[in-house]
Amino acid sequence: MAASSRAQVLRLYRALLRESQRFGGYNYRTYAIRRIRDAFRENKNIKDSEKIEELVNKAKANLDVIRRQV
Amino acid sequence: PRRLLTAAPPALVPSGRTGDGDGAPRPLYMDVQATTPLDPRVLDSMLPYLTAYYGNPHSRTHAYGWESEAAMEKARKQVADLIGADSREIIFTSGATESNNMAIKGVARFYKSRKKHIITTQTEHKCVLDSCRSLETEGFRITYLPVKKNGLIDLKELEAAFQPDTGLVSVMTVNNEIGVKQPIHDIGEICRERKVFFHTDAAQAIGKIPMDVNDMKIDLMSISGHKIYGPKGVGALYVRRRPRVRLEPLQSGGGQERGLRSGTVPTPLAVGLGAACEVAQQEMEYDHKRVSQLAERLVTKIMSEVPDVVMNGDREHRYPGCINLSFAYVEGESLLMALKDVALSSGSACTSASLEPSYVLRAIGTDEDLAHSSIRFGIGRFTTEEEVDYTVQKCIQHVKRLREMSPLWEMVQDGIDLKSIKWTQH
């Protein structure tokens, strides 16, 4: 499935980090970057495609949240 | 969009700078027990209800009301899920102060014909102590349990304090000044055995440590929005339904919130509180691990560089993110002023206007002069390692500098016992 391919996930990851850099507040900016890195690192070995899709959707939702505030 | 959301209040110099004109960046925020910033995810959840979806949740006749009510009920469930309760047991209030007032005065007054005694502790938040004081004028008897040197109550003393007409026990879960965590499980057990209602002010605990109202046998719990990265002006009160806890309402009106708290529920704030609770539940483990690491770092670094520093409150039974340290031979206010680029406090925000040292520190038996030398460091979800390191560095630097200037410190270095000095009047 396209949404769960490795390339898609990496694209999402980079987009999240890029958008997070645009937070004006130091604490929000550093938290977003740290949390995103840690979350992707924690889930990097997940194999179950359903779980992957769930996580990808969550990441997309968070990306929208960040975009609305930066 | 960026300009809109980071607009500074009119009186201040534009974004990022303090108003004092020297162009210095804003201080580091290390005072999370006073309040916390809104989590971006919480703000996001509130935005629709601050813009397009502005209906009154109690309007029964149109979509504006229905969607607002749906949002409010979803938030209610989110709060309930965090503490293992049922949605119907959550009442939205204006904050933990109101919740505490409702719980204590409400329960006391409802059962006053048969129950006239209340037990609480000396280290409770001012609103709990003040509510109890006002009940005394209504004819209730209150026992203010002392705490041990480590800030915890003695369970044997609690048991001994029960009387045949005790109606309520109120003990806060995590103290906002020194961070100690009371033995809530044990207290709940003791109260349940004696069929006495147990209320806990969980404002500083909820979302940070796991809380379950059934595990802990809690009958009433106060929740504050702005301590868990939610909005200010909202909180909640958990009121157990089985066995039923009855309350005399404080606020009369249209009967909202099961008649216990009339007034329009502020949907955006309630939604924010709900979202804050959900985020806290998801992030609890991650946050706790980080906060513990940063707290360990702060305390270890300071104590290894600077002698004569006392941590107030039990080392073990605590929430790690609230650290209260007393620096002997240094005056607390001058240290706070020296650390001007770090936002800290000594004692709690609600008592900061008075010059008296904190009653909490007095209750744990802290010496008068050590009580004046205390600083509270708050570490939260957004605190960075760099902020901790900077705070530690400045703290060590200024403590050393202030001690150099202190004649008391000089005397101590010369081996004089300060307690043996006979101070003369001039």
Side-chain angles (χ1 to χ4, degrees), chain A residues 21-28 30-31 34-35 38-39 42 58 61-62 64-70, chain B residues 1-2 5-6 29 37-41 43-44 47 282-283 286-287 290 381-384 386-387:
Chain A
Q21 292 284 5
R22 299 176 56 212
F23 265 115
Y26 164 77
N27 291 97
Y28 288 155
T30 51
Y31 176 77
R34 173 176 61 244
R35 191 67 190 92
D38 287 347
E42 187 187 321
K58 223 169 79 168
N62 277 314
D64 287 338
V65 170
I66 299 172
R67 284 201 169 121
R68 281 191 280 270
Q69 291 182 36
V70 288
Chain B
R2 186 186 219 157
L5 283 169
T6 57
Y29 193 74
L38 260 191
D39 188 293
R41 292 162 285 198
L43 174 61
D44 194 71
L47 281 173
Q282 291 163 357
E283 301 288 350
Y286 178 90
D287 283 348
R290 252 194 101 248
R381 180 181 296 161
F382 300 100
T383 310
T384 66
E386 287 78 13
E387 286 175 317

Side-chain angles (χ1 to χ4, degrees), chain B residues 19-242:
Chain B
D20 62 4
D22 66 1
R26 289 166 63 71
L28 305 185
Y29 193 74
M30 302 287 292
D31 198 19
V32 287
Q33 280 71 37
T35 191
T36 55
L38 260 191
D39 188 293
R41 292 162 285 198
V42 170
L43 174 61
D44 194 71
S45 73
M46 293 168 68
L47 281 173
Y49 302 94
L50 289 166
T51 49
Y53 300 87
Y54 52 83
N56 181 319
H58 314 293
S59 296
R60 317 230 67 152
T61 57
H62 49 70
Y64 290 90
W66 305 327
E67 63 204 9
S68 190
E69 183 187 26
M72 175 181 76
E73 292 306 321
K74 176 175 169 196
R76 203 187 295 280
K77 179 109 194 5
Q78 288 167 320
V79 176
D81 283 348
L82 181 59
I83 60 175
D86 183 276
S87 299
R88 291 167 297 177
E89 297 172 308
I90 303 292
I91 309 289
F92 287 114
T93 65
S94 65
T97 296
E98 184 186 347
S99 303
N100 283 333
N101 269 265
M102 272 171 71
I104 294 168
K105 292 175 178 166
V107 168
R109 288 170 185 161
F110 189 89
Y111 294 98
K112 71 170 180 264
S113 55
R114 289 177 297 123
K115 307 283 184 184
K116 301 224 76 157
H117 179 239
I118 294 172
I119 301 173
T120 185
T121 76
Q122 290 176 7
T123 52
E124 293 299 303
H125 195 270
K126 265 280 153 81
C127 53
V128 169
L129 295 177
D130 219 57
S131 298
C132 289
R133 215 150 289 148
S134 91
L135 284 177
E136 285 188 49
T137 68
E138 292 177 28
F140 290 88
R141 294 176 336 270
I142 321 283
T143 298
Y144 300 92
L145 287 175
V147 292
K148 299 183 281 197
K149 280 219 155 355
N150 62 2
L152 300 172
I153 60 163
D154 184 327
L155 292 169
K156 293 264 178 314
E157 277 186 29
L158 169 62
E159 287 174 325
F162 278 92
Q163 292 171 26
D165 65 341
T166 301
L168 181 68
V169 168
S170 177
V171 179
M172 73 196 315
T173 311
V174 169
N175 185 280
N176 55 308
E177 288 196 36
I178 55 181
V180 294
K181 200 163 64 168
Q182 299 291 348
I184 297 296
H185 272 102
D186 295 329
I187 300 172
E189 190 68 55
I190 291 172
C191 291
R192 191 53 70 81
E193 266 170 25
R194 293 160 178 72
K195 296 201 167 25
V196 172
F197 293 132
F198 175 34
H199 164 254
T200 184
D201 176 356
Q204 296 286 352
I206 196 198
K208 304 196 172 99
I209 56 172
M211 301 271 316
D212 186 297
V213 292
N214 292 312
D215 262 1
M216 296 167 156
K217 304 192 167 59
I218 294 170
D219 299 306
L220 295 132
M221 185 198 282
S222 302
I223 292 161
S224 172
H226 72 112
K227 305 291 165 41
I228 54 169
Y229 313 96
K232 294 175 187 49
V234 69
L237 177 65
Y238 158 76
V239 183
R240 180 175 283 281
R241 289 180 88 236
R242 287 210 191 96

